[in-house]
């Protein structure tokens, strides 16, 4: 998909969402609850993605952008008696 087609698709989705939001005050209570549940699901997924990406980046790199070599796993050898 070209970037122009992708932007056009995003614009169409945005217009549908705006139209839905404009009709929401006049909607049935069931429709309002369904819309809120879908919106809550989308927000939850986005928040979980941000948390997962930040945890992954934090465990791989320090704040300076360099890997933390002190956290490298070391092989444990049995003690000689």
């Amino acid at each position: 998909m070209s970037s122009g087609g992708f932007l056009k698709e995003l614009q169409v989705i945005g217009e549908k969402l705006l139209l839905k939001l404009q009709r929401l005050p006049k909607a049935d209570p069931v429709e309002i609850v369904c819309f809120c549940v879908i919106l809550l699901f989308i927000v939850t997924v986005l928040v979980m993605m941000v948390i997962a990406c930040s945890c992954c980046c934090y465990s791989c790199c320090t704040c300076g952008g360099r890997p933390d070599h002190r956290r490298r796993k070391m092989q444990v050898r049995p003690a000689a008696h």
Side-chain angles (χ1 to χ4, degrees):
M1 178 182 269
S2 67
S3 63
F6 181 71
L7 291 176
K8 182 68 175 169
E9 191 68 29
L10 281 178
Q11 182 180 5
V12 169
I13 292 171
E15 289 173 358
K16 287 181 183 179
L17 181 64
L18 183 62
L19 183 63
K20 189 72 166 174
L21 287 172
Q22 289 173 346
R23 291 184 189 167
L24 202 58
K26 302 174 205 164
D28 295 333
V30 173
E31 191 174 354
I32 293 172
V33 169
C34 291
F35 183 75
C36 289
V37 167
I38 291 171
L39 194 63
L40 182 66
F41 176 75
I42 292 171
V43 168
T44 303
V45 169
L46 291 175
V47 167
M48 289 175 66
M49 285 177 51
V50 168
I51 291 171
C53 290
S54 65
C55 288
C56 180
C57 290
Y58 181 75
S59 67
C60 293
C61 306
T62 58
C63 293
R66 292 177 288 150
D68 189 4
H69 296 292
R70 293 176 295 173
R71 298 182 71 187
R72 188 182 307 169
K73 293 182 180 177
M74 300 173 79
Q75 187 174 9
V76 177
R77 297 183 184 156
H81 289 278

